[in-house]
Amino acid sequence: MGERFRAALRPAVVVGLVGGVMALLLSLVGMVNAFAGRPIITGVLSMGHTLLFLTALVTGMIAARRVLHASRGAGRPVALPGAALAGLASGFPLAVLVLVGQVVNLRAVLQNANPVLYGLLTFGRDPGAGLPQLVLAGALVGSLGGALTLLPGRVSQAVVAGLGTMLLTGLFAELLQGILWDLGVPAATTRLFMVQKGLTVAGALVTGAAGALVQAVWASQTPKVRRRLDALPPERRRRVNVALAAVGLAIVLWLPQVLGSFLSYVLVLVGLYVLMGLGLNLEVGWAGLLDLGFVAFFAIGAYTLAILTSPETGWLALTFWQALPVAVLVALIAGVILGVPVLGIRGDYLAIATLGFGEIVRLLVGSDWLRPLTGGSQGIAHIPRPVLGNIALIGPQQIYYLVVAGCIIVWFVATRLRNSRLGRAWMAMREDEDVAQAMGINLVQTKLLAYGLGAGFAGVAGAIFAAMIGSVFPHSFQLIISINVLALIIVGGMGSIPGVFVGALFLVAMPELLREFTEYRLFMYGGLLIAMMLLRPQGLWPEPTVRLELAESEEPEVPARVTAATSPGQGD
Amino acid sequence: METLLGASQVTKRFGGLVALSNFELEIPERSITSLIGPNGAGKTTFFNLVTGFYQPDEGEITFRGRRIDGLTADRITRQGISRTYQNIRLFANMTALENVLVGLHPRLRSSWMGAVLGTGATRREEAWAYREAREILAFCGLRGKGDVLARNLPYGDQRRLEVARALASQPKLLLLDEPTAGMNPRETEEMTRFIRRLRDELGITIFLIEHDMRVVMGISERVTVLDYGQKIAEGPPREIQNNPRVIEAYLGRGAAEALEEAVVSAGSAGAAGPGGHAGAGAR
Amino acid sequence: MPGIRVARRITGTDVAIWVTGAVLITIVVVGSVSTLASGRYTVRHWVDFLVAGLANGSVYALIALGYTLVYGILRMINFAHGEVFMSGAFTSYFLARSLEQSGMLNARPVVSILLLMALSMATSTTVAVLLERVAYRPLRRAPRLVPLITAIGASFFLQYTFRGLYGSGVRGYPQPAILDGEWGVGAMRILREQVLVIIAAALMMVLLYRFVQRTRTGKAMRAVAEDKEVAALMGIDVDRVIVITFAVGAMMAGVAGVLYALMFGQVRFFMGFLPGIKAFTAAVLGGIGNVPGAMLGGIFLGLVESVGPTLFLDGLGIPAPNQLKDAIAFSMLVLVLIFRPTGILGERLAGKKA
C-alpha cells in the first residue's frame, strides 16, 4: 500500500512544483504586485492574490487528474490528498523566494523582488508566520482544485461558474457601479454589494451564488429547450431565430447609451479588431495562409482615407463616405499585389515573408522619402469626422454605430463566403494545396482572392480607425497589431466566425478595461498562444461541423430539369 | 476505339536519376488498363506527369488529341482527368460531403460576388451541387456518411470517398493509384467490382496502378509493366503473366515481395496487403 | 526520390515576378552607379561601412546558426530564437555591471569577457532547452502551422517575461576600456570592438563546424537531420539529439548576445527581435539547414545592410537612406524567399513536402 501510495503521489509533487515555478514567474514579472491594487472583495481578496490562488487551483486540478491517471483509477482515495500536496508544493518556490530575499538583495537584478512582493506573499506578516500561512493556503486551494476534478461535472461546473462570476464582477465592480448609477439604481443599494473598487463580502456571496445557480439551471434546462426548439416546425423555428436576433440587435444598439463614452470606445476597439480578425481568419483559418504582415492592410486603409480626406495633404479633401470605398478598394488591391510575389511560398516561409512585407510598409510609410505623401513620422492629422445626415460622428458613442454596421456587413459577407464555392476551395487549399489543385482549383486565383478580400476587411477597419482618431502615424501600425489579431483568432478558434467575436472581446476588451493588464498584454498573449496550441488547438469557440447531408429537407426546391445530366459548367 | 490518353517518348529525371525513360503508352477509350512494376519503377511518377504535378523533361502527353503536358494540374483536371492517391489524401478536416463538393468545383461557375449577393443563379447552383454530391456519395456506397469528417471515416470508406471526390469532376479518365492497398480480401473484391461498374455504367476509362495481381489480372484489359523507368512489357493480362522479362523483373530483384504478393493473392485473410510498398514510386 | 517540382509553363505571375526583379536590379544598379559617380564618399567611408557590416554580419551569422541547426533537424522555424539571444545578453548585463563596479572589467578584461560569455551561454541554453521541452516537443507531430504559432507565442512570452523580470528600460552595457578606440592597419582604421567581434565569431563558427563534422554527437545530429526514423533505428536517442541541437544553437546565440551588447553598448528586452529576423534572413540566404550557408548568409546580409542604403539609395536622391536600412534587410528576406528559397548554397536537406 505504502509503495503504491508514494508512486501515486510523486506526480502530484512534480505538478505542484511546476505550478509553483509558474507562480514564481508571475510574481517576479510583477503581475502579482501590479494586480494587488485591484480588489476583488474589498479588504479581503485582491486580484494579485487571486492570481496566485488560481495557479494553485489549476495545479490542484491537474495534480488530481495525474494521480488518477498514474494509478489507473485506483488512486481515487489519494487524489484529493495528492491535490492538496501539489497545492502545498506550489507554495514552496514562493516561500524560498521570500526567505532568500531576506538575506540577499535580489532587487538589484529582479526588479520586482521587492519588499512589497514579500509583503503580499506573507500576507503582511513576518516570514515566520506568513510563509506557513502561504503554504497552507496553497494546500487548501489545491485541494479545492482536486475536489473540482473529482466532483460530478455539473457540480464542479456550477462552482467554477460561481467563482468566475464573482471574480468578474469583482474585477469590474468600479465600472458596474457607474453603469448601475446611470441606470438609476440608488447608491445605497449598490453599496450593499460593492464598495470602492471591489465587492463586499455579501456581494461576493450573492454574485457567486447567482453565477452557480444560473449555470446549474442552464445546464439542466438547455437540453430541454433545445429539444423543444428542434421539435418546432421550421417556419416557427425561423421566427424564433429572427426574434432572438432582433432582441440581440436591439441590445447592441442600445449599449452605448448605458455604457458611456469610455466603454463605447472599448467596444469600438473590439469592433475594429473583429473586422481585422474576420479578415485574417479568412486568410489563416480558411485558406491556411499564415500572414504576419496583416497590419499593412490596416495601415493602407487608414492612410488612404487620411490622404484622401485630410486637408493637410491638400489633395482631394473628400468626405469620409466618398473615401471609404476607395480606401477599401486600395487595401484590397494592395492585398492582391502583395499576394502575387508570395504565391509560390508555402507554410512557415510565407509567415516570415509576409512579416517582412508588413515591416517594409511601415518603414516606408514613416520614411522621409515618402514624406510628401504620408507625412513621414509626423503622420497626417486633421482627418475630418464622418458626417451622417446632419450628425457628425464625433465621439466613440457615435463611431460605435459605424463600427457595428461595418461588423454586421463584414460578418454577413464572411458567412456567405465561407459557405460558397470559394470558401470550400480555400479550405481544400488549407488541407492540401496539391490535391486542391488536382481537384481543378486555380490556386493563383483562389489565393489572391483570399489575400485581397482579407485585406479589404482590414481596410474597412483601418479607414474607420483613422476617422475615429482623426490622425494617422506610422507608430500606430506596428507588428504588435498583427500579433494581436493572430492571437484573437487563435484563442477564439481558427476558422471560426463566432470565435473571432469571442476572441476580440476577450483579448481586446480585457486589457483595455483593466489597466493593470495593459502592461502584461503581450506576456499573456504569448502565454495564451502557447497554451492554446498545447491544450486546446481548436480554440474557445470552434466552428461547429455543419450537418448538411441530413438537412436535405431544408434545401430550397430547385426546378427538376437541373439534374446531373445537365449540370452547369458542362462542356467547360 | 479511339486513343484517350497518349504518351510518347516521355522522359523524367530527378537529378541524376532517370525515373522514366522514353515511355510510350496509349490508352483506348472505355478501357481498363493497369500499370505494374516493382517498387520505384516510375509508376506514380507517370501519374504525376499525366496530372500535371510534374512536367516531363522530354516527350509529350496528349489527352483526347490535345497536348496536356505543361498545363497546370487544375487545367488538366478541367480537361477530364482525375485521380486518387496511393497514400490517401483526403481533406481530412472537411466532411465527406464537403470533400465531394470540392471535387465538383470545376463544374460550378458561381463567383464570390454571386455568393455574397446571394443571386438566384448561385443559389440554384449550390442546391444542385448539394444534390449531386449526395448522389455521388450514395453511388459510392457512402450514403448517410456525408456529415462525418473525412479523417473519422474508416479506412475502406476513405478509399471510397477518394474515388467519390475524383468522380465529382465527371472525368473521362480516372487514375487510381493502388485503389485496394491495405484492404482485406472482401473489401478488395468490392472495390474491384466497383471499378468495373465505373467503366460499364459511367463509361469512364480507368487507368490504375496496382500491386495485387489478382485485381490486375481480374479486371484489366491491358497491362503495362515498368521496370527501372522503362517499359518492359505490354499486352493482355494472360501474356504478361507468362512474360519471362516480367517474371525476372519481379523475381530477380524482389523475390521476397513477389512471394508476399503470391501469399496475398492466395487470399490469406488479414495479410493486409502491401507490406513492402511503403515508399513505392515517387511522390 | 527527391520530389523537386519543376517550373511550369511561364504564367502571368512569373512575368510579374520577373519584371519586379528586373526593376529592382535596375534601381540597385542605377543607384550604385550614381552614388559612386557623385564621389561624395571616399574609400575611407566604404571601408568603414564594410568593416561595420562584417562585424554586424558575424553576429547575424552566429544567431543564424541556431535557426539553421533547428530547421535542419525539425523543419521548423524557431521564431523565438531571437529571444534566446536576448535572454543571454540581457542577463549578462548584470554580471557586467558588477564586474565594472568591482573594477575587474578593466583589470582583467579577457577573463571578464569570458565570464560574461559563459553566463550568457548558460542563460540562453537554459531558455532554449526549456522552450523545446515545454513548447515544442509536445507538438512535434502536429500540423506545420501549430509549432510556428507556438513559437511566435513563445517569442512574445519570453520578451515580456524578461521585460517583467529585468525592467523595460534600455540598459547601458559597460565596456572594458581596452575595447575603446581603434587600431590602424595601414590606411585602414578598425574599431577595437569590431576586431573582437569578428575574431570571436569566427572562432565560434570554426568550433561549431568541427563539432558538427567531427564529433560523435555532431554525426548523430546530421543523421537525425537526414532521417529521424532511421536514426532512431540506428540506436540514436533522437530526443537527446534535438535537445543538444537547441543547446548548441543557443550557445552560439549566447556568444552573439555578449558581442552584440559590447558592440552597441546597450541591452533591452526588445533587442532580440530585429537581429532575430535578420539572422533568419541570413539563414535562408545561405540555404536553411546548411551550416556554412548560415555563416556566409550572415556576413553577406551584414555587408549589404551596411553598404546598401548609401550605395543603392543615396544616388537616387532618397533622403535619409539609413532609415531604410531595415527595409533593405526585409526586402532581401522577401526577395530570397521569392526567387531562391533554397538559398545561395542550397538547402542542404531538401526534404520537400511535395
Side-chain angles (χ1 to χ4, degrees):
Chain A
M1 182 66 199
E3 183 54 37
R4 258 179 56 203
F5 219 74
R6 244 172 288 149
L9 290 180
R10 199 166 301 139
V13 176
V14 173
V15 170
L17 288 176
V18 171
V21 171
M22 281 310 297
L24 188 66
L25 191 67
L26 291 178
S27 308
L28 287 179
V29 297
M31 272 179 106
V32 174
N33 275 354
F35 289 4
R38 185 172 283 269
I40 303 291
I41 306 170
T42 307
V44 181
L45 182 67
S46 77
M47 184 61 202
H49 280 135
T50 307
L51 209 58
L52 294 176
F53 290 150
L54 280 179
T55 317
L57 190 78
V58 173
T59 306
M61 288 168 83
I62 295 174
R65 209 168 300 158
R66 281 282 168 86
V67 170
L68 285 182
H69 186 76
S71 57
R72 295 209 179 75
R76 222 178 158 76
V78 278
L80 199 59
L85 187 64
L88 195 82
S90 77
F92 271 106
L94 295 174
V96 171
L97 171 72
V98 174
L99 290 177
V100 173
Q102 305 301 313
V103 202
V104 186
N105 177 21
L106 294 173
R107 205 176 173 179
V109 176
L110 301 165
Q111 58 165 2
N112 290 304
N114 52 28
V116 180
L117 177 67
Y118 302 151
L120 284 168
L121 292 181
T122 51
F123 303 100
R125 300 158 184 235
D126 67 277
L131 289 182
Q133 205 180 334
L134 174 76
V135 174
L136 278 179
L140 208 66
V141 178
S143 41
L144 175 63
L148 285 179
T149 307
L150 296 170
L151 284 171
R154 274 198 185 171
V155 180
S156 64
Q157 272 165 19
V159 174
V160 169
L163 287 176
T165 316
M166 189 188 90
L167 200 69
L168 284 176
T169 37
L171 272 178
F172 297 118
E174 209 178 358
L175 287 166
L176 284 173
Q177 285 173 43
I179 293 172
L180 290 174
W181 175 256
D182 286 347
L183 287 173
V185 178
T189 318
T190 312
R191 220 172 292 135
L192 285 177
F193 303 106
M194 301 171 202
V195 278
Q196 291 161 8
K197 285 177 163 183
L199 296 168
T200 60
V201 176
L205 290 175
V206 168
T207 49
L213 196 69
V214 168
Q215 167 66 30
V217 171
W218 177 265
S220 66
Q221 295 303 313
T222 316
K224 283 185 210 158
V225 174
R226 181 152 299 159
R227 233 174 295 137
R228 276 184 50 196
L229 259 181
D230 284 345
L232 287 179
E235 191 46 39
R236 288 195 51 197
R237 208 189 316 170
R238 201 160 299 156
R239 236 178 286 159
V240 172
N241 282 341
V242 169
L244 284 175
V247 171
L249 189 65
I251 293 177
V252 166
L253 293 180
W254 176 60
L255 271 178
Q257 310 310 318
V258 228
L259 293 183
S261 180
F262 172 64
L263 285 178
S264 301
Y265 166 77
V266 172
L267 284 181
V268 167
L269 280 188
V270 170
L272 292 176
Y273 272 99
V274 165
L275 288 172
M276 282 193 276
L278 287 171
L280 188 64
N281 183 48
L282 187 160
E283 291 183 15
V284 182
W286 297 346
L289 306 163
L290 184 47
D291 187 343
L292 292 182
F294 198 62
V295 64
F297 308 123
F298 180 66
I300 288 170
Y303 265 95
T304 309
L305 188 99
I307 291 168
L308 292 178
T309 59
S310 168
E312 268 187 20
T313 48
W315 273 40
L316 300 165
L318 299 180
T319 67
F320 173 81
W321 300 107
Q322 290 165 328
L324 179 66
V326 184
V328 176
L329 197 68
V330 169
L332 199 144
I333 293 170
V336 173
I337 289 176
L338 291 188
V340 169
V342 296
L343 277 172
I345 303 177
R346 292 187 185 203
D348 17 18
Y349 279 169
L350 178 68
I352 305 281
T354 49
L355 185 149
F357 270 142
E359 289 296 291
I360 292 172
V361 167
R362 184 176 63 83
L363 289 164
L364 283 181
V365 153
S367 72
D368 287 349
W369 178 41
L370 291 181
R371 190 183 210 117
L373 187 64
T374 61
S377 54
Q378 255 83 67
I380 303 171
H382 302 294
I383 299 168
R385 308 293 169 164
V387 178
L388 194 64
N390 296 324
I391 313 155
L393 305 180
I394 295 171
Q397 272 157 303
Q398 287 93 45
I399 294 280
Y400 173 86
Y401 292 101
L402 190 61
V403 173
V404 168
C407 281
I408 290 175
I409 292 171
V410 167
W411 167 78
F412 177 79
V413 171
T415 313
R416 280 278 171 92
L417 285 175
R418 184 189 186 279
N419 300 320
S420 73
R421 173 175 178 247
L422 179 62
R424 293 191 297 264
W426 281 334
M427 282 172 236
M429 203 166 71
R430 171 191 72 194
E431 297 288 310
D432 191 327
E433 200 171 305
D434 296 324
V435 178
Q437 191 179 26
M439 291 296 126
I441 292 169
N442 181 334
L443 291 184
V444 172
Q445 207 182 335
T446 311
K447 280 189 182 180
L448 291 184
L449 276 172
Y451 286 123
L453 292 169
F457 290 3
V460 178
I464 298 179
F465 174 77
M468 178 179 77
I469 304 288
S471 51
V472 287
F473 312 101
H475 190 73
S476 313
F477 305 102
Q478 303 211 354
L479 176 73
I480 303 296
I481 298 204
S482 302
I483 302 295
N484 286 353
V485 181
L486 181 69
L488 81 88
I489 65 171
I490 282 164
V491 168
M494 248 198 284
S496 158
I497 295 177
V500 171
F501 287 84
V502 173
L505 261 179
F506 191 56
L507 291 193
V508 180
M510 278 284 240
E512 288 298 330
L513 293 180
L514 304 171
R515 306 219 96 195
E516 297 90 339
F517 268 79
T518 330
E519 183 113 331
Y520 297 98
R521 189 178 186 148
L522 283 154
F523 177 76
M524 290 190 303
Y525 284 10
L528 267 176
L529 283 186
I530 303 176
M532 292 306 279
M533 288 295 109
L534 289 174
L535 306 173
R536 200 177 158 83
Q538 75 274 29
L540 291 178
W541 194 315
E543 187 86 22
T545 316
V546 256
R547 306 217 150 261
L548 291 169
E549 193 195 4
L550 303 175
E552 234 155 325
S553 56
E554 283 194 347
E555 290 294 325
E557 268 315 304
V558 187
R561 43 197 174 75
V562 188
T563 59
T566 59
S567 70
Q570 272 281 74
D572 190 7
Chain B
M1 267 191 288
E2 241 176 276
T3 302
L4 188 68
L5 181 80
S8 86
Q9 302 282 314
V10 171
T11 299
K12 178 69 193 172
R13 298 183 200 90
F14 293 110
L17 181 79
V18 182
L20 208 60
S21 96
N22 284 323
F23 187 58
E24 301 269 343
L25 183 75
E26 282 193 358
I27 294 182
E29 221 164 322
R30 291 182 71 100
S31 67
I32 298 183
T33 309
S34 291
L35 185 60
I36 65 170
N39 291 331
K43 304 181 296 285
T44 301
T45 302
F46 184 62
F47 267 31
N48 284 338
L49 287 167
V50 172
T51 52
F53 193 74
Y54 298 149
Q55 265 193 322
D57 294 319
E58 285 159 35
E60 56 182 66
I61 301 172
T62 53
F63 182 66
R64 296 207 278 172
R66 276 195 279 173
R67 270 188 77 162
I68 56 167
D69 54 280
L71 294 183
T72 51
D74 52 311
R75 290 250 190 112
I76 291 175
T77 304
R78 282 162 188 271
Q79 306 260 332
I81 300 179
S82 68
R83 73 174 289 187
T84 67
Y85 296 84
Q86 182 186 334
N87 46 339
I88 302 175
R89 288 174 81 173
L90 288 167
F91 304 122
N93 294 309
M94 298 170 80
T95 64
L97 189 76
E98 285 174 324
N99 267 277
V100 178
L101 284 169
V102 172
L104 282 168
H105 188 90
R107 291 166 69 196
L108 306 176
R109 13 191 60 181
S110 67
S111 72
W112 66 274
M113 283 284 208
V116 169
L117 300 175
T119 58
T122 307
R123 281 161 179 268
R124 275 194 297 280
E125 190 186 75
E126 284 291 291
W128 171 82
Y130 277 93
R131 246 179 309 119
E132 178 79 1
R134 278 186 212 110
E135 266 171 42
I136 293 169
L137 280 177
F139 180 79
C140 297
L142 293 166
R143 187 191 294 278
K145 294 183 176 164
D147 290 335
V148 182
L149 287 186
R151 66 180 142 96
N152 295 336
L153 283 172
Y155 182 81
D157 285 351
Q158 292 198 359
R159 282 250 173 244
R160 262 189 287 274
L161 180 56
E162 254 208 337
V163 178
R165 184 179 68 179
L167 287 178
S169 63
Q170 276 194 335
K172 305 271 182 310
L173 172 67
L174 179 61
L175 308 183
L176 301 170
D177 200 340
E178 298 195 29
T180 68
M183 286 187 167
N184 64 32
R186 198 178 52 81
E187 288 174 325
T188 303
E189 176 69 21
E190 271 173 23
M191 181 54 90
T192 314
R193 236 180 300 142
F194 180 64
I195 293 171
R196 202 175 281 128
R197 251 182 86 199
L198 292 179
R199 198 265 308 264
D200 296 346
E201 289 178 22
L202 303 178
I204 298 174
T205 310
I206 307 280
F207 183 33
L208 68 154
I209 294 175
E210 189 48 76
H211 273 274
D212 185 336
M213 286 306 138
R214 244 176 18 149
V215 175
V216 173
M217 298 307 157
I219 57 170
S220 338
E221 281 136 19
R222 293 181 68 78
V223 178
T224 300
V225 190
L226 269 178
D227 188 25
Y228 278 128
Q230 303 219 318
K231 184 160 82 180
I232 56 169
E234 188 167 39
R238 290 275 148 241
E239 259 173 49
I240 297 296
Q241 254 172 327
N242 301 320
N243 185 318
R245 282 194 68 185
V246 176
I247 294 168
E248 189 210 287
Y250 272 89
L251 286 184
R253 295 194 320 270
E257 276 168 35
L259 274 178
E260 192 180 49
E261 223 98 58
V263 174
V264 173
S265 334
S268 89
H277 303 155
R283 253 180 286 141
Chain C
M1 264 181 241
I4 298 152
R5 276 179 87 172
V6 178
R8 298 222 166 84
R9 180 183 286 182
I10 295 161
T11 61
T13 37
D14 291 337
V15 175
I17 288 175
W18 287 108
V19 167
T20 322
V23 169
L24 283 170
I25 291 174
T26 320
I27 291 176
V28 165
V29 170
V30 171
S32 306
V33 169
S34 54
T35 306
L36 293 175
S38 77
R40 265 202 284 153
Y41 298 91
T42 62
V43 174
R44 174 74 198 277
H45 284 120
W46 294 116
V47 170
D48 283 351
F49 284 142
L50 285 175
V51 175
L54 192 62
N56 262 343
S58 322
V59 173
Y60 295 154
L62 280 180
I63 309 173
L65 287 169
Y67 282 108
T68 249
L69 288 171
V70 168
Y71 190 90
I73 285 199
L74 289 179
R75 299 283 180 287
M76 84 165 268
I77 299 173
N78 179 10
F79 196 84
H81 190 60
E83 273 56 60
V84 170
F85 156 84
M86 172 275 290
S87 68
F90 207 169
T91 308
S92 75
Y93 157 76
F94 296 98
L95 180 61
R97 193 180 59 183
S98 66
L99 287 175
E100 188 196 31
Q101 281 160 1
S102 67
M104 169 112 168
L105 192 65
N106 287 322
R108 318 191 109 216
V110 177
V111 178
S112 296
I113 288 175
L114 286 178
L115 276 177
L116 289 176
M117 283 185 178
L119 177 67
S120 175
M121 283 162 89
T123 314
S124 292
T125 308
T126 313
V127 169
V129 169
L130 278 176
L131 189 65
E132 195 274 330
R133 185 68 195 81
V134 175
Y136 299 157
R137 193 181 295 180
L139 296 172
R140 226 175 268 161
R141 293 189 173 277
R144 279 174 80 82
L145 278 192
V146 169
L148 181 66
I149 291 170
T150 314
I152 294 168
S155 166
F156 285 90
F157 182 78
L158 286 172
Q159 261 179 39
Y160 284 80
T161 298
F162 281 90
R163 180 184 190 266
L165 293 178
Y166 297 156
S168 60
V170 177
R171 309 272 192 148
Y173 202 89
Q175 239 182 358
I178 192 175
L179 288 181
D180 287 345
E182 16 175 74
W183 274 315
V185 181
M188 240 166 56
R189 301 199 160 273
I190 307 178
L191 295 176
R192 289 185 183 186
E193 64 211 21
Q194 288 172 340
V195 176
L196 169 76
V197 169
I198 293 167
I199 291 175
L203 198 69
M204 288 308 290
M205 285 190 265
V206 171
L207 278 177
L208 177 87
Y209 192 71
R210 290 183 70 101
F211 170 76
V212 173
Q213 293 297 326
R214 301 279 169 82
T215 64
R216 241 179 101 82
T217 319
K219 282 177 189 156
M221 275 165 68
R222 282 186 293 148
V224 174
E226 213 59 56
D227 190 326
K228 275 205 272 299
E229 266 100 69
V230 174
L233 287 178
M234 303 304 239
I236 294 173
D237 182 347
V238 175
D239 276 344
R240 196 176 140 260
V241 170
I242 291 174
V243 171
I244 292 176
T245 308
F246 270 87
V248 170
M251 286 180 198
M252 298 291 137
V255 172
V258 173
L259 296 176
Y260 191 87
L262 286 173
M263 194 158 57
F264 292 99
Q266 59 182 48
V267 287
R268 199 185 173 212
F269 74 96
F270 198 64
M271 68 183 278
F273 178 71
L274 268 183
I277 301 277
K278 288 178 182 170
F280 174 77
T281 310
V284 178
L285 262 173
I288 197 155
N290 182 328
V291 170
M295 304 178 190
L296 278 182
I299 288 164
F300 183 67
L301 182 72
L303 290 175
V304 170
E305 191 190 74
S306 167
V307 176
T310 311
L311 183 63
F312 307 152
L313 302 179
D314 193 73
L316 297 174
I318 290 173
N322 259 316
Q323 284 178 340
L324 297 175
K325 186 178 111 180
D326 294 339
I328 286 188
F330 286 120
S331 308
M332 294 259 300
L333 169 65
V334 176
L335 291 176
V336 179
L337 288 176
I338 293 167
F339 290 103
R340 196 165 162 74
T342 51
I344 304 167
L345 296 191
E347 197 170 336
R348 203 24 147 344
L349 315 136
K352 239 202 135 173
K353 55 294 160 181

